[in-house]
Amino acid sequence: MRISLLLLLIPFLVGCENFETKKISSEEVLDQETRSLNWKEVDEYPAFENCKNITELQKARNCFETTITKSVYAYLEKQEPVVTEAIDDTVVLYLKVEKTGRPAIDSILVDTTVTNQLPDIRLWLQQSVDSLPKIYPASKRGIPVSSTYMMPIVIRAEEN
């Protein structure tokens, strides 16, 4: 009986070292989390009031981009520019939405033909961005973050 009891206790005494847990410091956890996060993607896209309740990521992005596009094109159409040559070109607008929700132009790629015919194009784009409705910022893990979006804008004007 003693031998069988001793045989039962030996695995428990020897096996305890296999049950040790490795302690990880908070710095190591933070480092592992930082490496595993994809910082180029957001969990939630910026949103206007009309897009705020859309939960599917791709639909939310489409709603955001469509709202910006409509707003910018509506503003540009009001300008009624006069051109001497026909224009059919694309301007690329890099729009940054700050973590506060404030939109700002990061940069604009515009061909010289467009700027020659429409010297105020940069000003109009700035004013159109300034007139955007309230934007709720993008978020990553529930924290508001700044994000930048590339927006192609097709400029077509006929010669007058």
Side-chain angles (χ1 to χ4, degrees), residues 10-129:
I10 289 177
F12 286 110
L13 296 174
V14 175
C16 286
E17 65 187 45
N18 295 331
F19 293 114
E20 285 184 34
T21 57
K22 181 182 175 193
K23 291 184 181 180
I24 300 175
S25 70
S26 58
E27 289 83 18
E28 287 178 281
V29 171
L30 179 63
D31 187 46
Q32 289 173 1
E33 279 290 309
T34 304
R35 277 194 240 133
S36 69
L37 286 177
N38 183 352
W39 290 103
K40 297 200 183 280
E41 292 182 14
V42 293
D43 296 337
E44 291 179 23
Y45 280 96
F48 294 98
E49 195 64 46
N50 63 321
C51 306
K52 194 170 181 212
N53 295 326
I54 299 174
T55 55
E56 188 180 322
L57 197 60
Q58 190 57 45
K59 286 183 181 178
R61 179 180 180 161
N62 289 343
C63 183
F64 173 71
E65 290 174 351
T66 301
T67 305
I68 286 180
T69 302
K70 285 179 181 177
S71 182
V72 169
Y73 277 122
Y75 188 88
L76 292 176
E77 285 175 2
K78 290 180 192 174
Q79 304 311 310
E80 299 179 9
V82 177
V83 294
T84 56
E85 295 176 25
I87 301 172
D88 187 5
D89 206 345
T90 302
V91 172
V92 179
L93 174 71
Y94 288 90
L95 180 70
K96 183 173 188 174
V97 179
E98 300 288 341
K99 62 183 172 184
T100 60
R102 188 180 69 79
I105 293 178
D106 189 54
S107 63
I108 301 173
L109 300 178
V110 59
D111 193 71
T112 55
T113 5
V114 175
T115 54
N116 288 340
Q117 291 296 311
L118 303 170
D120 292 331
I121 189 70
R122 290 179 187 275
L123 175 65
W124 294 340
L125 289 171
Q126 182 63 55
Q127 290 171 341
S128 70
V129 168

Side-chain angles (χ1 to χ4, degrees), residues 2-17:
R2 286 185 186 178
I3 296 176
S4 59
L5 185 60
L6 185 59
L7 288 174
L8 284 174
L9 286 177
I10 289 177
F12 286 110
L13 296 174
V14 175
C16 286
E17 65 187 45

